[in-house]
Amino acid sequence: MCRVFIGLTLLAMLIKPAMLEAQNAAASAPSIRYTVRFPDPASHYASVEAVVPAGGRSSVELFMAVWTPGSYLVREFARNVEGVRATDAAGHPLAVEKSRKNRWRVETGGAAEIHFSYRLYCREMSVRTNWVEDKFALLNGAATFVSLVGGLKLQHDVRLELPAAWKSSITAMPDAPDGAAHHYLAPDYDTLVDSPILLGNPAVHRFDVDGIPHLLVDEGEAGVFDGARAAADVEKLVRAYRQMWGALPYSGRYVFLNLLVETGGGLEHRNSVCMMASRFATRTRRAYLSWLDLASHEYFHAWNIKRLRPVELGPFDYENETPTRSLWIAEGFTDYYGSLALRRTGLASEAEYVGSETPPAAWSLSGMIGTVQSAPGRLEQSLEEASYDAWIKFYRPDENSANSSISYYTKGALVGWLLDARVRKATAGKKSLDDVMRLAFARFSGERGFTTEAFKQLAAEVAGVPLGEFFRQNVEAAGELDYNEALDWFGLRFRPAAAAASNGNGGKKANLGILTKVDSGRLVVTRVPRATAAFAAGLAVDDEIVAIDDFRVRAEQFAQRLENYHAGDKVTLLVARRDQMMRLNVTLGEEAGGWQLEVRPDASAEQKKRLEAWTGK
Ligand SMILES: [Zn+2]
């Protein structure tokens, strides 16, 4: 399928002589030239050779990125590099010295270019790392290619030598001007890193919007995942966003890499996205909407974060952490639009989007509110702090994360929703968050970037009212969100789900508030949220619960046993902590009644109109 696009490129070159000239110029400019081979893919290794211009220097320094944009954690990609070797063009060995954890210094011996080769271990199945096996490979630039220190603006030329059984390589990286199969040319290192490559024999589903080819590339459909249907629905999302923003922000192909490998995740790029999901994702409506939500979120990033970006997120420092206070905009607002688009396209029903079904989907408004309201950390960490500390908190979760932090995704999405309602109310429905995003794109996209302050001011400009207090409360400080204004504007309400709170005996159902796991038949505490009965009683993570009031309770009986108690009952828990038995006195709490968001049955005509203006096409 890749050849189709090589053909397109050649055609475009014939039509556009100016472009041809540019590409010829590109072909003769200095570049780092890579060849990636897979001599034994089943061993999970790739071998990489980089030919690097030495520029007349006596030594050159090469580096490998320590993180990859969009995933805010130092991952030390250099740890997968083995068998490093450098030679001149004639194959004479050159001295190589490790100069930092992720850098190598090569003595050139006067050579015009050096050949730097290494083996790369590729067996981490995630959207930001590498995977190589006999059936396919996923290569992410940051984790794959060394580059020249100070040479990020050089062209990076990539040739892939595929095992005989693999027919395709697919990436959004531009095809090389020679039109050869599996030969790509990134105009700079940023593009190299921003263009993951899938190799193997994936199923490819194509649709065109504004004459631009879009590919849904499925690795592992296995006769289970319905790729044709998924592509048709992704096309609806692409068209909805195109309508919202006014135009597509790219002119070459856009690639949805969709690896059906029974794990999850998504990582955005300028002209592509890499997603991982279950091959069963199209088999139930619930799983399918969740997959569409992932695709919708990642695709929205083509505008928000990849082109309209916080000022800190570019040009990237690939060797150091790069914090920003704006991830609640870059990720949170993307999450808001990601799920809203499911409704605007009609892919999700009103009830599914609002989340008045039981249980609501995590991506629904009910689901997101539930996630935020059940995290005690919402009272501890502000959205700006959550953004800034993504590197050391969100990407390094532990058993206490829910107590100490809040997700800039879910809370950010809800603040997007509240801001949308505020702008609509302040302008009597004439403007919305859509206008804020469009103006921000017009003003800040490209090289410029936005500061958090500038974005807030722009939102106030569109709303025509001061928003200082709104942002202070919801973004700069920790604390509760006030949903009332948005509920009232759109004609929504919380409906209590009271039925679950009674055990049929009249009393309130008892609750300890912990999360547990079963480990070899033992009931082990995994989380103790703040402000619960368990937290007050001093129960700890890793405690094994053995008995309630000295009656043995087996792991599978625990929930049922608690049904025999009421909220307010005092019980003794027998627990084993590092194998030492101890008794803890607990006053049982009350199980939260639960609630769900729904459209008011008595919504006014005005509210119905606003709901339609918000979620309608
Ligand atoms: Zn995202």
Side-chain angles (χ1 to χ4, degrees), residues 8 11 43 92 107 117 127 155 184 196 205 223 293 309 339 341 373 384 417 449 469 505 517 520 548 585 606-607:
L8 281 175
L11 184 62
S43 70
H92 300 121
E107 302 304 323
S117 59
V127 294
Q155 296 187 104
Y184 303 96
H205 307 269
D293 179 60
R309 64 174 173 81
S339 50
Q373 296 305 127
E384 292 195 348
W417 176 49
E469 190 54 23
N505 264 352
K517 67 176 177 186
S520 307
I548 302 177
N585 296 315
E606 193 59 29
Q607 286 172 320

Side-chain angles (χ1 to χ4, degrees), residues 70 266-268 297-298 301 304-305 330-332 334-335 395 408-409:
L267 190 62
E268 67 278 6
H297 173 111
E298 301 303 341
H301 276 314
N304 193 34
I305 212 173
E331 289 294 353
T334 298
D335 232 20
Y395 275 88
Y408 48 78
Y409 284 87

Side-chain angles (χ1 to χ4, degrees), residues 7 20 25 34 59 106 160 190 212 217 228 251 264 278 293 333 394 414 420 437 475 504 545 549 608:
L20 181 63
Y34 303 93
S59 71
V106 182
L160 306 165
D190 289 323
I212 298 171
V217 182
S251 53
S278 165
D293 179 60
F333 287 16
F394 187 84
L414 293 176
D420 200 355
M437 299 307 291
V475 171
I545 298 177
D549 283 343
K608 284 179 185 161

Side-chain angles (χ1 to χ4, degrees), residues 198-227:
L198 182 69
L199 308 90
N201 304 299
V204 181
H205 307 269
R206 173 178 168 168
F207 58 89
D208 290 10
V209 177
D210 291 350
I212 298 171
H214 293 68
L215 308 180
L216 174 64
V217 182
D218 292 334
E219 169 54 46
E221 280 188 359
V224 178
F225 187 89
D226 187 345

